[in-house]
Amino acid sequence: MHITLTLNGEQRTLEAQPHERLLRVLRRAGLYSVKFGDEHGLTGSDTILLDGQPVNAQTMLAAQADGHDVVTLEGVGTSRDLHPLQQAFIDTGAIQSGYTTPAQILAAYALLKRNPNPTDAEIRAAIDGILDRETGYVKVVHAIERAAAVMRGEDLPPYEPLERAIPAPPDLFGSVWDTGDSDTGGGDIQTRTRTTPVVVVSPPEVKANKVVGKSEPKVDAVKLAAGKPVYTDDIEMPGMLHAALLTSPHAHARIRDIDTHAAEALPGVHAVLTYKNVPRVYYASGGQSYPNPKPYDQVSLDNKVRHVGDRVAVVAAESPEIARAALKLIEVDYEVLPAVFDPIETMQPGAPVIHDDPNVDGIHDRARNIVHHVDAWAGDAEAQWAKADQIFEGEYHVHQVQQASIEPHIVVTWWDEDDRMTIRTSTQVPFHVRRMVAPLLGLPVKKIRVIKPRIGGGFGGKQEMLIEDLCAHLTMATGRPVRFEYSREQEFTSARSRHPQVLRFKTGVTNDGQIVAAELYIIGNTGAYGTHGLTVQMVSGFRGLSTYNAPYSRFICDIVYTNIPTPGAYRGYGAPQSLFALEVHTEEIATALGMDVIEFKRKNWIKQGDAMIMAVALGEGREGKPQTVTTSALAECVDIGARAMGWYDKRGVERTVPGKPHLRKGIGMAVAMHGTGIAGLDMGAASIKMNDDGSFNLLFGATDLGTGADTVLAQIAAETLGVPVEDVIVYAADTDMTPFDTGAYASSTTYISGGAVLKASELVRQQIISHAAKHMLNCRPDNLELEDRRVVHRDGRSVTLEQVALHSLHQADQHQIMATASHMSEQSPPPFAAQYAEVTVDTETGQVTVDRLLMAVDCGIAINPITASGQVEGGMVQALGYAHCEEMVYDELGTPLATDFGSYHIYRADEVPQLEVIFVETYEPSGPYGAKAVAEIPKDGVAPALSSAIFDATGVRIREIPFTPERVWKAIYQ
């Protein structure tokens, strides 16, 4: 059939099948700005305008658009003719991965057509159907406000996204930060968008740079704002097949037999793969450095399933519909086995053994389902416990949550013209994927190329070789290109998540409040497979024992199998779990001792110059490296945050909403310390080539997840080479074309990959200066500097970089000016932060309304404050979901009950509280231009800060998250 419609102002006739959704027809027509996020339109990434109104293209049949007017982002503006909304999204830093940006711009476009001067609440209402897992919505609202003003004809000054104070004047937190009390409460969440800039408090000794430390627009912002085809799925290949995955309905079962004959006979089906026709090669799927930590307890397709959603069979067919129909024709004979879901029960005698395959290597105690057992300590136990006047113990529970990237896992594989397997995938770890998938496919690494396009969110969930093997197996079986995308349900049942834990602290304290000894026991639930199980829990132990760095510290951990879907890497990587328990525990101690919470923490937190006592004992799955805190502004973060929040005027003061005594106000805080890469393990490389016009090509293997990493690395190169960012052309993450990088995880990109870029840039800088000195300016090299696209002599003479490039290529000592460098660090300098929260608790219902979150962060020098602040804002909102409302829950058979965004709630634009970010800079000597990490620390402090605030409001201490109304109400009354 054909449909005729007005599409972006033009009359178009499109071919469509009666069953086809409008989303697929539009994408087939080349309108790639319309994105798939889920089957039910709940993400809003599929938003289009139908007769001027926002609708979901995924939930409409294409036939329903016949005769109507349809607008996609391509009809609003192009990369060469940007609409004011697109320009505002670029200017304000509202774009991170950009996956939902087209939908947000379209919703705003429709709003401003009917209301040119909307309020904050009206803007948030307009975009509340479009989920954004990345930005925290702050900069998106700023962008729409700014575009509205431009479209009204107002003369706006250039956008100033930050305010610098060197050093902070005494009145910095006067009128700017005095927002007063918001006395709204109950279930009606009020939101306000701060229009004051991000504040950056810099140490006076830090010199001003021309590019580094500036809020440069993202190097990919224009193409993302224009909705260009930059993601994995934005590709059409002749003859491409579509994959579908059959998963287990049982939490634990053995497959007696599987019959695929009917599926294989279905017209349009080209391959059906099961354990019977795929080689049995053992591996671990976590995207980690060589050699991957054991156990190697997975195979591509197995004859045993260990959780609901585990792999059973995979099909390749001419269309997604045929592939799904084929799944229904596969007959599986299951022997259902007893299952276990509780991490304590799984260790008991008589519990079902989840991994009974004797060929799996690296399981600590197979019979008790214990994957790993850790027992590590430092210091003199007997001496330190003897110093303790009081001993405090507490047990804390943290739950399982999903990364919920709006872009699902998506892979396209094909044989290239040289018969090499090409894997185009949304991954954080392209080089790890290539190395890990090779033995599963029986191909040498040299026969595999992995390409990482733009990623629509990762958060650790794509630090996994998750579906690349199955997609490539299908290409090998069919000889055809194959596309494989997870459904939203499979993201919840068959992808990865955060590890649930039981944490038990035991802490020895003197009567004057000095922590002298600490022990932490964790039971880590790694679900059906051990991927990331060891390393996540070791990070939990290290973070849980390093913030207060007791002279005697011991970490004991049992990492156990259960029959829940497998957890893995998730932003924060074990730190959010342990820091929730640690910060609640330390506040309990301070309260019991009658000490001020902040002063107790201040007395005990690790200080600059201190060695981290557990650094060697707790490395990343192996022995670690000695670590000393070289820089810390934690004290300043705490003090500045407290002043900004009015902490001392509010804490411990009974406050209620006027006329509503059941609505009680509370304020809470927590401190956080994270890491910057993995010391002695992470490595990145970069290559820089000078072009004829004096511009530069920058190549690296690092992976930008929307964090702005490509931009930050370009800024480092631009600063070193004396050019603007626009003169640095970035190429990233293609295993054939770019240098190696371990990947985007462990908050390592700026520090590790940035170190490689800095080294390569300095080598190129030396070559430029050497050539200009010898052949053009006849001087000593040490008399020359690079600035403003020129090589400048201190006497005023200069030549342009273009002249140097052409001279070096064509006229004298002819050579290509270029360099490659690698960087690995034995250090992992910790960023620090103070997290504050204000809440309103409805004591009649247990409903907690979060009114305000503020984080003061020491991330070293913020290379790009606008992208860094976006990381903090988005991270705080993700962490708020972890603490407040997100939860993966199961029935008694282990079937997940939350498998879409109706049952699994993430914060919407009209629900987020007031968000504020302050950077308190230090200059970290081991980092490029003084930088440390910022991406993960926003996940660490929100949950304990909320616990602290709920205690301040109600006097009730809650040791388990999330803080649901039921849990809070029970804590108050039971």
Side-chain angles (χ1 to χ4, degrees):
M1 61 175 283
H2 292 83
I3 60 171
T4 301
L5 68 165
T6 303
L7 183 56
N8 294 328
E10 296 182 6
Q11 192 83 0
R12 295 280 299 274
T13 299
L14 303 176
E15 184 178 346
Q17 297 299 316
H19 64 268
E20 279 194 299
R21 306 294 174 132
L22 182 58
L23 172 69
R24 191 196 299 178
V25 172
L26 292 174
R27 289 181 61 82
R28 194 163 60 232
L31 300 169
Y32 290 109
S33 70
V34 191
K35 307 294 186 190
F36 175 82
D38 70 312
E39 291 77 11
H40 310 297
L42 296 173
T43 67
S45 61
D46 58 340
T47 297
I48 60 166
L49 300 184
L50 184 75
D51 299 331
Q53 297 301 311
V55 299
N56 297 111
Q58 172 62 22
T59 58
M60 280 188 67
L61 292 172
Q64 292 177 286
D66 187 54
H68 290 274
D69 182 88
V70 171
V71 175
T72 69
L73 183 63
E74 289 87 348
V76 173
T78 68
S79 58
R80 288 182 288 276
D81 184 21
L82 293 169
H83 186 274
L85 273 164
Q86 293 168 308
Q87 188 64 55
F89 269 67
I90 294 168
D91 294 341
T92 60
I95 303 171
Q96 288 195 23
S97 82
Y99 196 77
T100 59
T101 296
Q104 291 170 331
I105 291 175
L106 281 175
Y109 180 82
L111 169 67
L112 299 183
K113 282 282 189 181
R114 65 179 185 270
N115 180 1
N117 191 17
T119 64
D120 176 278
E122 289 168 334
I123 291 172
R124 290 179 181 273
I127 61 172
D128 73 353
I130 302 164
L131 299 180
D132 186 338
R133 195 60 164 162
E134 300 158 13
T135 69
Y137 304 101
V138 174
K139 291 175 172 55
V140 174
V141 177
H142 285 177
I144 297 169
E145 289 174 335
R146 184 171 177 83
V150 169
M151 293 167 68
R152 292 194 300 269
E154 296 180 19
D155 187 17
L156 296 181
Y159 183 70
E160 295 292 340
L162 62 94
E163 177 178 303
R164 283 191 174 270
I166 310 176
D171 62 349
L172 179 62
F173 304 107
S175 59
V176 173
W177 294 95
D178 184 13
T179 57
D181 259 349
S182 173
D183 284 331
T184 58
D188 183 18
I189 299 175
Q190 303 294 312
T191 58
R192 286 175 295 170
T193 301
R194 298 191 50 79
T195 55
T196 55
V198 174
V199 173
V200 182
V201 183
S202 302
E205 66 271 15
V206 174
K207 70 174 185 177
N209 295 302
K210 291 194 173 182
V211 181
V212 164
K214 312 299 181 187
S215 291
E216 297 280 350
K218 282 163 58 80
V219 295
D220 55 358
V222 171
K223 62 187 176 187
L224 295 177
K228 288 199 169 186
V230 298
Y231 301 93
T232 297
D233 197 29
D234 297 344
I235 184 174
E236 289 286 339
M237 302 192 73
M240 185 163 71
L241 302 175
H242 298 265
L245 178 67
L246 180 67
T247 63
S248 170
H250 305 294
H252 197 196
R254 200 174 304 279
I255 299 175
R256 294 193 188 98
D257 193 22
I258 186 166
D259 186 344
T260 61
H261 289 93
E264 291 166 334
L266 185 69
V269 171
H270 288 257
V272 180
L273 302 182
T274 71
Y275 72 90
K276 293 183 177 182
N277 55 1
V278 171
R280 189 175 183 84
V281 181
Y282 293 93
Y283 71 101
S285 61
Q288 298 179 276
S289 289
Y290 174 85
N292 283 50
K294 293 181 178 180
Y296 302 155
D297 56 3
Q298 298 167 258
V299 295
S300 287
L301 290 164
D302 204 350
N303 62 352
K304 187 180 183 185
V305 291
R306 297 172 176 87
H307 67 90
V308 174
D310 207 354
R311 299 170 166 194
V312 174
V314 65
V315 172
E318 293 287 345
S319 72
E321 291 80 10
I322 295 173
R324 289 195 292 269
L327 296 183
K328 297 177 182 179
L329 298 177
I330 298 173
E331 296 183 10
V332 186
D333 179 11
Y334 291 104
E335 176 193 353
V336 179
L337 303 172
V340 59
F341 310 107
D342 184 270
I344 297 174
E345 290 178 12
T346 196
M347 294 186 285
Q348 305 310 309
V353 178
I354 295 172
H355 282 270
D356 52 359
D357 182 347
N359 297 312
V360 173
D361 184 31
I363 298 175
H364 172 73
D365 187 342
R366 191 186 314 273
R368 296 179 60 213
N369 293 314
I370 301 175
V371 193
H372 299 282
H373 178 77
V374 179
D375 191 350
W377 65 90
D380 187 329
E382 185 177 353
Q384 291 306 123
W385 284 119
K387 294 178 182 179
D389 296 309
Q390 300 187 54
I391 295 175
F392 296 88
E393 298 187 63
E395 181 171 297
Y396 310 88
H397 294 255
V398 293
H399 62 309
Q400 187 180 20
V401 290
Q402 226 275 325
Q403 294 88 349
S405 303
I406 305 304
E407 178 201 43
H409 286 80
I410 170 77
V411 182
V412 180
T413 57
W414 66 93
W415 291 114
D416 72 6
E417 62 275 13
D418 296 313
D419 289 326
R420 299 173 72 236
M421 178 63 69
T422 302
I423 302 174
R424 177 182 167 100
T425 178
S426 181
T427 181
Q428 298 174 222
V429 285
F431 286 90
H432 289 340
V433 165
R434 181 181 63 171
R435 168 178 51 84
M436 292 161 57
V437 80
L440 303 189
L441 304 179
L443 295 175
V445 166
K446 66 185 178 184
K447 296 287 285 184
I448 300 171
R449 177 186 182 186
V450 177
I451 302 169
K452 189 281 308 176
R454 306 315 297 166
I455 299 178
F459 317 119
K462 294 174 182 174
Q463 190 196 333
E464 199 91 13
M465 198 270 296
L466 195 67
I467 56 176
E468 289 87 352
D469 60 321
L470 292 181
C471 199
H473 272 303
L474 288 170
T475 287
M476 294 176 74
T478 64
R480 300 264 293 268
V482 178
R483 171 188 176 274
F484 185 5
E485 181 177 44
Y486 263 176
S487 68
R488 181 54 58 183
E489 180 176 347
Q490 286 170 337
E491 287 292 321
F492 285 100
T493 63
S494 310
R496 298 295 182 253
S497 52
R498 191 179 296 290
H499 288 81
Q501 292 177 351
V502 178
L503 305 98
R504 297 168 184 161
F505 268 102
K506 177 182 177 182
T507 305
V509 186
T510 62
N511 285 333
D512 64 352
Q514 188 71 46
I515 296 175
V516 294
E519 292 183 354
L520 171 59
Y521 174 55
I522 290 178
I523 303 172
N525 186 344
T526 193
Y529 299 99
T531 173
H532 292 285
L534 174 63
T535 47
V536 165
Q537 313 332 299
M538 289 185 77
V539 170
S540 292
F542 182 53
R543 295 294 160 217
L545 292 169
S546 295
T547 305
Y548 298 105
N549 214 38
Y552 165 71
S553 296
R554 184 180 183 186
F555 177 57
I556 306 171
C557 183
D558 286 309
I559 300 144
V560 299
Y561 288 126
T562 66
N563 293 115
I564 65 170
T566 309
Y570 185 3
R571 186 180 186 181
Y573 205 81
Q577 293 100 309
S578 63
L579 288 177
F580 166 71
L582 173 68
E583 287 299 282
V584 175
H585 183 63
T586 52
E587 186 165 300
E588 289 180 280
I589 296 172
T591 303
L593 294 175
M595 292 185 66
D596 177 83
V597 170
I598 287 180
E599 294 314 308
F600 176 75
K601 292 175 187 280
R602 187 193 309 276
K603 183 167 187 169
N604 288 287
W605 68 50
I606 195 168
K607 311 292 195 300
Q608 186 170 318
D610 289 351
M612 299 182 211
I613 191 169
M614 294 293 285
V616 174
L618 291 177
E620 185 85 353
R622 63 194 77 184
E623 186 174 273
K625 302 288 182 177
Q627 298 294 309
T628 298
V629 177
T630 52
T631 55
S632 172
L634 179 54
E636 292 80 1
C637 288
V638 169
D639 291 344
I640 288 171
R643 291 168 60 190
M645 293 290 288
W647 169 268
Y648 291 105
D649 294 330
K650 298 174 181 176
R651 179 73 176 187
V653 177
E654 186 173 319
R655 296 179 295 135
T656 61
V657 173
K660 299 178 180 179
H662 63 288
L663 298 182
R664 299 184 188 175
K665 295 282 192 177
I667 186 170
M669 66 87 62
V671 301
M673 178 181 79
H674 209 87
T676 300
I678 305 169
L681 187 62
D682 284 347
M683 192 277 279
S687 176
I688 300 178
K689 177 175 73 74
M690 191 179 192
N691 298 317
D692 303 33
D693 61 353
S695 65
F696 299 90
N697 289 358
L698 171 61
L699 295 84
F700 47 77
T703 304
D704 190 331
L705 314 181
T707 57
D710 287 1
T711 306
V712 165
L713 299 183
Q715 285 181 262
I716 291 170
E719 183 70 45
T720 310
L721 296 169
V723 297
V725 172
E726 66 195 54
D727 285 3
V728 179
I729 301 100
V730 171
Y731 299 86
D734 180 329
T735 60
D736 268 14
M737 305 300 179
T738 61
F740 175 83
D741 194 282
T742 47
Y745 58 92
S747 296
S748 63
T749 304
T750 297
Y751 184 72
I752 297 295
S753 308
V757 170
L758 180 60
K759 286 180 178 178
S761 302
E762 288 173 338
L763 292 171
V764 168
R765 178 182 179 277
Q766 291 168 14
Q767 292 178 45
I768 293 168
I769 286 176
S770 176
H771 189 90
K774 182 177 180 180
H775 299 291
M776 304 177 77
L777 294 173
N778 301 312
C779 65
R780 289 169 44 190
D782 57 7
N783 286 324
L784 301 179
E785 290 293 339
L786 301 187
E787 57 184 59
D788 299 326
R789 296 176 168 144
R790 305 182 74 85
V791 185
V792 181
H793 194 285
R794 62 182 58 180
D795 66 10
R797 291 181 295 140
S798 68
V799 292
T800 66
L801 292 182
E802 181 178 13
Q803 289 172 314
V804 174
L806 292 169
H807 198 272
S808 67
L809 290 170
H810 300 286
Q811 293 175 274
D813 189 18
Q814 289 161 265
H815 68 289
Q816 172 68 65
I817 293 178
M818 66 182 299
T820 299
S822 303
H823 185 66
M824 188 276 294
S825 177
E826 297 286 338
Q827 301 178 62
S828 175
F832 293 90
Q835 177 71 63
Y836 289 87
E838 288 193 271
V839 303
T840 302
V841 181
D842 187 331
T843 57
E844 293 180 349
T845 66
Q847 175 68 45
V848 176
T849 300
V850 183
D851 302 315
R852 183 183 182 191
L853 294 176
L854 179 145
M855 183 171 245
V857 189
D858 162 23
C859 62
I861 299 299
I863 302 290
N864 188 317
I866 196 168
T867 61
S869 63
Q871 286 290 288
V872 177
E873 290 158 356
M876 282 196 292
V877 174
Q878 276 190 349
L880 180 56
Y882 179 48
H884 196 203
C885 59
E886 296 179 33
E887 187 171 16
M888 295 176 69
V889 293
Y890 305 90
D891 68 14
E892 66 278 3
L893 298 178
T895 303
L897 300 179
T899 56
D900 61 31
F901 289 123
S903 52
Y904 187 92
H905 187 82
I906 68 175
Y907 264 80
R908 303 179 312 187
D910 60 346
E911 295 172 331
V912 295
Q914 182 175 315
L915 302 175
E916 297 155 60
V917 181
I918 306 171
F919 291 116
V920 186
E921 291 188 326
T922 56
Y923 188 90
E924 170 53 49
S926 67
Y929 290 100
K932 297 190 285 191
V934 73
E936 292 186 285
I937 198 167
K939 297 297 295 273
D940 294 349
V942 173
L946 257 61
S947 175
S948 174
I950 292 168
F951 174 77
D952 187 50
T954 66
V956 170
R957 188 79 65 188
I958 304 177
R959 299 175 181 86
E960 182 174 2
I961 51 177
F963 301 122
T964 59
E966 180 183 13
R967 179 166 288 135
V968 174
W969 186 90
K970 284 182 177 179
I972 293 172
Y973 292 105
Q974 297 181 10

